[in-house]
Amino acid sequence: MATSGGFFDVDNKLKQIETLEATMAEPTFWDDPTNARKIIAEVNGLKSTITSIIDFDKRREDILVLAELITEANETDAAEFLKEISLSSQNMLDELDNIEIQSFLTGPHDTCNAILTVHAGAGGTESCDWADMLLRLYLRWAERRGFQTEIQDLQQGEEAGISRASFRLIGPNAYGYSKAERGVHRLVRISPFDSNKKRHTSFASVDVVAEIEDDIDLKIEDEDLRIDTYRASGSGGQHVNKTDSAVRITHIPTGIVVTCQNERSQHKNKASAMKTLKSRIYEKLIDEKRSEMERFYGDKGEMGWGNQIRSYVFQPYQMVKDLRTGTQTGNIASVMDGDIDMFINSWLRAGCPTSRNKDININD
């Protein structure tokens, strides 16, 4: 009997799980804690990938059994069986949609955690407020999907909002899904900061990188780093505000700067910042090979008109439109509360386009 598991290589994944679990059962498994944690994470990832597929096949087989029973049942029982088949089939259509989306997550780091950074564009208070709104949107989206989040760095705007924020997104396929959000986001609204109630256009960029594991062959020389410590500016108690626990690391050859101030320990902040730095250097190397920065942000990486991947219009009408796929909705409130899976899913189905489709009208 045909199953949906073949496409996802379920049998091979089950064999991998069996092999890894045999390794986990060995007495010396925890002699190398770092490697042990990686194996456990790999097993959990494999199980997460195939569990929904196995459950789907079991439910499909149950429906086939019910269909056979209908031919032998009396009229009353047959009607009940048919009702159950109809309800189960509808639920399975939704599950099949999720399984289909998972099939697109085949990139080398799609299963990894992700690091998201929101930057306010030019425009002062307006853009800082927009960046803050985007940060809330992604935190709410993460909550909806069951991802964990960990704020690494948060820089407040001068009057309102934030100028920049970075956070870890932790969970299965976190990078695979969130990479759809990388690019420039445009907001059009009547400004709450303008006494004349004029419409303003604001820009913010979202950067997404995979959290690269330690086994990636990427050497960072100590002499290429400048490490600064300073007092954390956010909340966190008396200890955080009175000691130089925050860490800023500059990678001199590339100019990449990362900061971390969410931990009270300078050592933990440094370790977290180094992990982020490694991820961003790796992403930059990939970008240089395929010139993705030009495709995402324009020739000079400007956060401005024509480079956006998505527009959020609050007035004079309400619409959010993805300018790579054409996906749109008028339900602004739902989107700003984190309901963005429609944009992510359509982007994955479209083959992960990395630039705005010039045939899509921004103002439609």
Side-chain angles (χ1 to χ4, degrees), residues 125-126 129 159 189-201:
T125 302
E126 285 291 335
D129 190 49
E159 297 181 20
R189 65 170 176 173
I190 294 175
S191 170
F193 306 102
D194 187 340
S195 59
N196 295 320
K197 302 300 179 182
K198 293 183 178 180
R199 278 195 298 154
H200 286 248
T201 299

